[in-house]
Amino acid sequence: MTGAGAWVIENCAIATMDGPRDDQSGTEHRSGHIVLAGGRITAVGEGLAADVPDGARRVDGTGCLATPGLINTHHHLYQWLTQGQAQQSVLFDWLTELYPVWARIDAEQVHAAATAGLAWLALSGCTTSTDHHYIFPRAGHAGGGSSDALAAEIDAAGRVGLRFHPCRGSMDLGRSAGGLPPDEIVEDTDAALAATEDAVRRFHDPSPGAMVRVAAAPCSPFSVSSRLMRETASLARDLDVRMHTHLAETREEDAYCRQTMGRTPAEYAEELGWLGEDVWLAHCVHLDEAAVKRFAATGTSVAHCPSSNARLGAGIAPVRQLLRAGAAVGLGVDGPASSEGTSLAGEVRQALLAARLRDSCGPAALTARQALWLGTRGGARCLGRADEIGALRPGMLADLALWRVDTLAHDAIATGPEGGPGGGDPVAAFVLGPPAPLELLLVGGAPVVEGGELRTADVTAAARDVRAARQRLGAYR
Ligand code: ZN
């Protein structure tokens, strides 16, 4: 385990998120303490810490709110290289414009993009992120190809210091077979299955406190054959790893599934073995009532990406309905080509606003605490790690974010009549206000961000490297 240094953080408001579900998000402290040692949380409570471990670093959290580290449940890090393109396109046109560019990306470019993307996530309070990489051009096609892209991004995550759940994606349904992607960037079905198994055997760590866990992740119904979906599910269950894919993102996808498969995307997924407690699905914007019930009944989780859905004009996912039915929902910033520079902390607010806008649901759609639950506990449920991350309570991993809520934009909400936390609402300040400055970010007790600055990597060098990688790719409008 990395960074087993001990910490004592005191005098801060604390949202532990230790409750059992989104509408009972848990214990809060107005001025409390958190003690971390050996990579785990050892104490949380009101007032000052009773026991201070030898050599612990003490942090005065006055003016701050401590939350669990945020969890990002959907991303495509390589897309940092193609931000700002296809600005007026819906999903299928956007993909069609970008596939040929993505086909040329090599592992070195993926490394630069992943470093930039993960650094940005850390600076927005993320302690655990997933990534969905599905661009693996066939040998002999396109440019360098990116066959070892997963190794590149796992190396980047290790350098930035985030807990990382890369998804070995795949596509095998090219245009000539009725799919959307050009043939040259899809894999042979058996090769995709073998590469998925290889990624799990090389990188997946099932042990407690793991920094890297791999998921199996065919891309989408319109780029993957039913055989690859079915056999990936079987492989993932044999290997005991989680499963992830895109589902029901746009009306066009819904129409594609009804026309080619005679089913809704959710019905198609269930038929292929793709609903279950080991599955989390990105987007799920266009779900009917029956699908919401099936998700809840099967324990299927959803990665909700409100900014990306807005950028592509895809619609708003039925988050309120899913939560009421009992399904878990986490947050995802999604790939930067459809969600440029999205802050994960900002996505908590975006989720609240989007839920309230959907079908005129109004303020009852999501409370500030439910929105924070999505970014913490909901995300942990998506990644199958609710016993280790997403809440601040003894025994959980020492993954924590400490936010300044004493700024001009937050102070009036966060503080009470005497200028202290009593009577104020620091959680509302954090969720309803703009992204709060990040005072401290710990992953397994290791400092990743301090005083708003990334401690693990040089952000200027990361920006320079990713700019050079993009120039080499030639990815400009
Ligand atoms: Zn996506």
Side-chain angles (χ1 to χ4, degrees):
M1 183 173 300
T2 60
W7 297 77
V8 175
I9 303 165
E10 294 169 311
N11 305 316
C12 53
I14 304 170
T16 67
M17 307 310 288
D18 66 354
R21 42 177 295 154
D22 62 278
D23 54 359
Q24 301 164 33
S25 56
T27 314
E28 294 180 17
H29 301 289
R30 292 187 163 186
S31 179
H33 66 271
I34 305 168
V35 182
L36 312 109
R40 300 259 169 187
I41 297 167
T42 58
V44 182
E46 191 67 39
L48 300 175
D51 295 307
V52 176
D54 288 344
R57 284 184 62 179
R58 292 191 87 140
V59 175
D60 179 3
T62 301
C64 294
L65 168 70
T67 69
L70 302 181
I71 296 166
N72 181 43
T73 61
H74 189 62
H75 209 310
H76 310 287
L77 288 162
Y78 72 89
Q79 291 180 10
W80 197 274
L81 299 160
T82 56
Q83 296 187 63
Q85 298 193 297
Q87 295 173 18
Q88 298 305 114
S89 300
V90 296
L91 178 69
F92 281 11
D93 297 337
W94 175 90
L95 284 167
T96 302
E97 182 171 335
L98 289 169
Y99 281 138
V101 184
W102 294 341
R104 302 196 301 269
I105 295 174
D106 62 27
E108 188 183 333
Q109 290 162 333
V110 169
H111 191 273
T115 302
L118 291 163
W120 183 238
L121 275 173
L123 289 166
S124 70
C126 175
T127 49
T128 299
S129 184
T130 187
D131 188 60
H132 188 185
H133 194 91
Y134 54 84
I135 304 289
F136 296 97
R138 282 181 200 181
H141 283 277
S146 50
S147 60
D148 223 9
L150 238 55
E153 60 180 27
I154 289 167
D155 180 78
R159 288 167 193 262
V160 176
L162 296 194
R163 223 173 280 287
F164 194 45
H165 285 226
C167 302
R168 206 297 177 179
S170 52
M171 303 194 291
D172 72 337
L173 194 67
R175 203 163 289 156
S176 65
L180 190 71
D183 288 357
E184 59 268 25
I185 65 163
V186 304
E187 292 176 279
D188 169 76
T189 308
D190 290 320
L193 287 162
T196 302
E197 180 169 0
D198 181 59
V200 173
R201 297 205 187 283
R202 282 173 75 192
F203 303 118
H204 181 69
D205 178 1
S207 64
M211 291 299 287
V212 178
R213 289 208 181 144
V214 177
C219 187
S220 64
F222 50 85
S223 62
V224 177
S225 68
S226 57
R227 184 184 149 222
L228 181 54
M229 291 294 291
R230 200 174 267 125
E231 294 192 17
T232 301
S234 165
L235 175 68
R237 285 170 176 144
D238 284 349
L239 297 171
D240 196 22
V241 296
R242 294 183 75 74
M243 298 153 54
H244 182 52
T245 190
H246 295 95
L247 200 80
E249 182 172 354
T250 64
R251 292 196 192 290
E252 290 81 5
E253 179 190 331
D254 189 76
Y256 175 92
C257 286
R258 288 175 193 270
Q259 278 161 19
T260 58
M261 274 79 87
R263 293 165 183 75
T264 67
E267 288 166 348
Y268 180 59
E270 178 152 31
E271 180 187 303
L272 298 173
W274 272 80
L275 296 188
E277 289 189 346
D278 51 357
V279 180
W280 88 104
L281 302 169
H283 302 304
C284 301
V285 172
H286 299 281
L287 297 183
D288 57 19
E289 213 171 296
V292 169
K293 281 187 184 153
R294 288 306 297 152
F295 277 41
T298 55
T300 307
S301 307
V302 169
H304 174 44
C305 306
S307 289
S308 172
N309 297 153
R311 160 48 157 106
L312 291 171
I316 300 172
V319 172
R320 177 197 196 194
Q321 292 83 345
L322 285 161
L323 292 174
R324 284 221 173 140
V329 180
L331 294 180
V333 299
D334 202 2
S338 66
S339 183
E340 283 83 352
T342 295
S343 151
L344 184 55
E347 210 64 352
V348 175
R349 180 201 212 196
Q350 185 77 357
L352 178 138
L353 299 178
R356 292 181 177 198
L357 283 171
R358 184 188 151 98
D359 303 331
S360 303
C361 277
L366 213 59
T367 67
R369 283 152 180 85
Q370 283 175 304
L372 183 55
W373 191 92
L374 301 182
T376 53
R377 294 295 294 283
R381 290 261 302 271
C382 285
L383 300 185
R385 298 193 77 169
D387 58 339
E388 288 199 308
I389 58 175
L392 299 177
R393 64 165 184 261
M396 301 290 272
L397 293 172
D399 293 5
L400 166 150
L402 188 67
W403 311 89
R404 293 225 73 90
V405 288
D406 56 356
T407 72
L408 177 62
H410 303 92
D411 184 72
I413 315 171
T415 58
E418 285 149 30
D425 189 344
V427 174
F430 173 72
V431 176
L432 300 177
L438 184 57
E439 184 64 30
L440 180 68
L441 187 78
L442 300 177
V443 179
V448 175
V449 176
E450 288 183 273
E453 294 192 2
L454 192 67
R455 293 294 183 215
T456 50
D458 179 342
V459 292
T460 305
R464 184 192 62 221
D465 291 350
V466 79
R467 191 187 319 126
R470 183 168 181 166
Q471 279 169 358
R472 193 157 60 78
L473 182 63
Y476 291 94
R477 293 173 67 227

Coordinates of all heavy atoms in Angstrom, one line a residue, residues 68-73 125-129 330-332 344 374-381 383 389-390:
P68 N -15.5 12.2 1.6 CA -14.7 11.1 1.0 C -14.1 11.6 -0.3 O -14.7 12.5 -1.0 CB -15.8 10.1 0.8 CG -16.9 10.4 1.7 CD -16.9 11.9 1.8
G69 N -13.0 11.1 -0.7 CA -12.5 11.4 -2.1 C -13.5 11.0 -3.1 O -14.2 10.1 -3.0
L70 N -13.6 11.9 -4.1 CA -14.7 11.7 -5.2 C -14.3 10.5 -6.1 O -13.1 10.2 -6.3 CB -14.9 12.9 -6.0 CG -15.3 14.2 -5.1 CD1 -15.6 15.4 -6.1 CD2 -16.6 13.9 -4.3
I71 N -15.3 9.9 -6.6 CA -15.1 8.7 -7.5 C -15.6 8.9 -8.9 O -16.8 9.2 -9.0 CB -15.7 7.4 -6.8 CG1 -15.0 7.2 -5.4 CG2 -15.6 6.2 -7.7 CD1 -15.8 6.3 -4.5
N72 N -14.8 8.7 -9.8 CA -15.2 9.0 -11.2 C -15.4 7.6 -11.9 O -14.5 6.8 -12.0 CB -14.0 9.7 -12.0 CG -14.4 10.0 -13.4 OD1 -15.6 10.4 -13.7 ND2 -13.5 9.7 -14.3
T73 N -16.7 7.4 -12.4 CA -17.1 6.1 -12.8 C -17.1 5.9 -14.4 O -17.5 4.9 -14.9 CB -18.4 5.7 -12.3 OG1 -19.4 6.7 -12.8 CG2 -18.4 5.7 -10.8
G125 N -10.6 16.8 -6.9 CA -11.1 16.0 -5.8 C -11.3 14.5 -6.0 O -11.8 13.8 -5.1
C126 N -10.8 14.0 -7.1 CA -11.0 12.6 -7.4 C -9.9 11.8 -6.8 O -8.7 12.1 -7.0 CB -11.0 12.4 -8.9 SG -11.1 10.7 -9.4
T127 N -10.2 10.7 -6.0 CA -9.2 9.8 -5.5 C -9.2 8.4 -6.2 O -8.2 7.7 -6.2 CB -9.4 9.6 -4.0 OG1 -10.8 9.3 -3.8 CG2 -9.0 10.8 -3.2
T128 N -10.4 8.1 -6.8 CA -10.4 6.8 -7.6 C -11.1 7.1 -8.9 O -12.2 7.8 -9.0 CB -11.3 5.8 -6.9 OG1 -10.7 5.5 -5.6 CG2 -11.4 4.5 -7.7
S129 N -10.5 6.7 -10.0 CA -11.1 6.9 -11.3 C -11.0 5.6 -12.1 O -10.1 4.8 -12.0 CB -10.4 8.0 -12.1 OG -11.1 8.2 -13.4
G330 N -23.6 6.4 -9.9 CA -22.4 7.2 -9.6 C -22.2 8.3 -10.7 O -23.0 8.4 -11.6
L331 N -21.1 9.1 -10.5 CA -20.9 10.2 -11.5 C -19.7 9.9 -12.3 O -18.7 9.3 -11.9 CB -20.7 11.5 -10.7 CG -21.8 12.0 -9.9 CD1 -21.4 13.3 -9.3 CD2 -23.0 12.3 -10.9
G332 N -19.7 10.4 -13.6 CA -18.6 10.3 -14.5 C -18.4 11.6 -15.3 O -19.4 12.2 -15.7
L344 N -14.7 17.0 -11.7 CA -15.6 16.0 -11.0 C -16.4 16.6 -9.9 O -17.6 16.3 -9.7 CB -14.7 14.8 -10.5 CG -15.5 13.7 -9.9 CD1 -16.6 13.1 -10.8 CD2 -14.6 12.5 -9.5
L374 N -23.9 10.6 -4.9 CA -23.6 10.1 -6.2 C -22.1 10.1 -6.4 O -21.5 9.1 -7.0 CB -24.3 10.9 -7.3 CG -25.8 11.1 -7.3 CD1 -26.2 11.9 -8.5 CD2 -26.5 9.7 -7.4
G375 N -21.5 11.2 -6.1 CA -20.0 11.3 -6.3 C -19.1 10.5 -5.4 O -17.9 10.5 -5.6
T376 N -19.7 9.9 -4.3 CA -18.9 9.1 -3.4 C -19.5 7.7 -3.2 O -18.9 6.8 -3.9 CB -19.0 9.9 -2.0 OG1 -20.4 10.1 -1.6 CG2 -18.3 11.2 -2.1
R377 N -20.5 7.5 -2.5 CA -21.0 6.2 -2.2 C -21.5 5.5 -3.5 O -21.3 4.3 -3.7 CB -22.2 6.2 -1.2 CG -21.7 6.6 0.2 CD -20.8 5.5 0.8 NE -21.4 4.3 1.0 CZ -22.2 4.0 2.0 NH1 -22.5 4.9 2.9 NH2 -22.8 2.8 2.2
G378 N -22.3 6.3 -4.3 CA -22.8 5.7 -5.6 C -21.7 5.3 -6.5 O -21.7 4.2 -7.1
G379 N -20.6 6.1 -6.5 CA -19.4 5.7 -7.3 C -18.8 4.4 -6.8 O -18.4 3.5 -7.6
A380 N -18.7 4.3 -5.5 CA -18.1 3.1 -4.9 C -18.9 1.9 -5.2 O -18.4 0.8 -5.4 CB -18.0 3.3 -3.4
R381 N -20.2 2.0 -5.2 CA -21.1 0.9 -5.6 C -20.9 0.5 -7.0 O -20.8 -0.7 -7.3 CB -22.6 1.3 -5.4 CG -23.0 1.4 -3.9 CD -23.7 0.2 -3.4 NE -24.9 -0.2 -4.1 CZ -26.1 0.2 -3.9 NH1 -26.3 1.1 -2.9 NH2 -27.1 -0.2 -4.6
L383 N -18.2 0.7 -8.7 CA -16.9 0.0 -8.9 C -16.7 -1.2 -8.0 O -15.7 -1.8 -7.9 CB -15.7 1.0 -8.6 CG -15.7 2.2 -9.6 CD1 -14.5 3.0 -9.3 CD2 -15.8 1.8 -11.1
I389 N -14.1 2.4 -0.1 CA -14.1 3.8 -0.4 C -15.5 4.4 -0.5 O -16.5 3.7 -0.5 CB -13.3 4.0 -1.8 CG1 -14.1 3.2 -2.9 CG2 -11.9 3.5 -1.7 CD1 -13.5 3.4 -4.3
G390 N -15.5 5.7 -0.5 CA -16.8 6.4 -0.7 C -17.4 6.9 0.6 O -18.5 7.5 0.6

